[in-house]
Amino acid sequence: MPTTWDEAFASRYDEWSAHMTADIAFYVELARAADGPLVELAVGNGRVAIPVARATGRPVIGIDISPAMLAQARAHAATAGVTLDLRECDLRELSLDEPAALIYCPFRSLQHLPTWAGRRRVFERVAASLRPGGRFAFNAIAFDHRIAARLDGLRQERPVPHTIRYAVGDNRIDMVLDDGATSSFWWATKNEWLGLLDVAGLEPEALYGGFAREPYTEDSREYVFVTRRP
């Protein structure tokens, strides 16, 4: 299946993701409460998985479609002295040998899937891969037309030089590096995410507006979901 991830982004990922730190403690707390296997979807360079493995003293199964990102995660884990079980796999084909107690997908990575059908497939595979009572947690952006109007077409120097372009008719945001490398993601509404949970048979446990577990309101710009398999 095609992916929207451009491998050229891998060389700048440390810089690209450096600002995102608030989610680590959130996912670490969920992992500490999980009695069983831990799985991170779109593990990237191990930014979250390594602190989770260190805090829990348990290996984390890391799934990613990018060989370049998995290579970085492998190197970073070795430096940190933690164990990651890294597997190259499309999230839509997730399959585990043992049902997980926690599956989580940080940094809005589910939004790299371009279609509702693709996301539904991931949610269904997650539900099938969780033990009863197991949790699935993820975060995603809530679209803000004011932010889109301000940033559309604007070149920015940080965290790396890039331009953001909005394709409103396709619910798509393109992040284009100066060398032309492009990574795209697609936004969804709260009810679309809830619909995906419903068709997969997952139950919402909590919806927060941020990683400090602040209540989700109409002014929130982040969806932070914690769900559970019945």
Side-chain angles (χ1 to χ4, degrees), residues 34-228:
D35 182 17
L38 307 172
V39 179
E40 180 174 328
L41 304 184
V43 69
N45 66 355
R47 179 186 65 86
V48 178
I50 289 170
V52 167
R54 183 185 295 117
T56 62
R58 290 181 280 158
V60 175
I61 298 171
I63 308 294
D64 209 292
I65 201 171
S66 166
M69 296 307 304
L70 288 170
Q72 289 188 29
R74 195 169 290 112
H76 290 168
T79 300
V82 302
T83 301
L84 301 182
D85 180 356
L86 298 171
R87 306 178 186 182
E88 183 179 338
C89 177
D90 189 308
L91 303 187
R92 291 163 286 196
E93 303 302 326
L94 175 68
S95 179
L96 302 176
D97 299 329
E98 180 184 358
L102 172 68
I103 300 176
Y104 64 96
C105 187
F107 208 8
R108 308 157 183 160
S109 294
L110 289 172
Q111 294 182 271
H112 286 295
L113 295 162
T115 67
W116 192 88
R119 293 176 193 165
R120 181 190 66 195
R121 173 69 177 170
V122 172
F123 278 54
E124 289 171 344
R125 294 310 309 150
V126 164
S129 300
L130 282 171
R131 60 179 55 180
R135 283 169 154 175
F136 175 44
F138 64 95
N139 65 290
I141 63 162
F143 177 72
D144 186 327
H145 64 282
R146 292 164 295 192
I147 294 175
R150 186 173 76 248
L151 296 182
D152 186 28
L154 179 67
R155 184 180 183 277
Q156 301 177 73
E157 292 292 335
R158 296 181 179 180
V160 299
H162 71 285
T163 302
I164 294 180
R165 298 170 182 159
Y166 285 78
V168 177
D170 194 36
N171 287 20
R172 190 183 79 247
I173 302 174
D174 297 326
M175 296 162 288
V176 185
L177 301 185
D178 284 1
D179 63 6
T182 301
S183 182
S184 299
F185 68 102
W186 286 257
W187 68 82
T189 66
K190 180 183 72 173
N191 282 335
E192 286 174 313
W193 292 118
L194 291 171
L196 287 162
L197 294 172
D198 183 57
V199 298
L202 294 166
E203 296 180 348
E205 183 178 304
L207 170 57
Y208 303 110
F211 294 107
R213 297 180 182 261
E214 52 265 61
Y216 182 84
T217 72
E218 62 182 20
D219 296 319
S220 297
R221 292 298 170 261
E222 191 86 24
Y223 305 115
V224 181
F225 278 98
V226 180
T227 74
R228 186 182 296 273

Side-chain angles (χ1 to χ4, degrees), residues 3-60:
T3 174
T4 64
W5 174 258
D6 190 323
E7 289 287 83
F9 265 78
S11 64
R12 307 300 298 270
Y13 191 78
D14 280 336
E15 298 162 87
W16 188 264
S17 62
H19 71 284
M20 179 61 86
T21 57
D23 60 341
I24 294 175
F26 180 83
Y27 289 115
V28 164
E29 182 179 348
L30 291 176
R32 281 177 166 154
D35 182 17
L38 307 172
V39 179
E40 180 174 328
L41 304 184
V43 69
N45 66 355
R47 179 186 65 86
V48 178
I50 289 170
V52 167
R54 183 185 295 117
T56 62
R58 290 181 280 158
V60 175

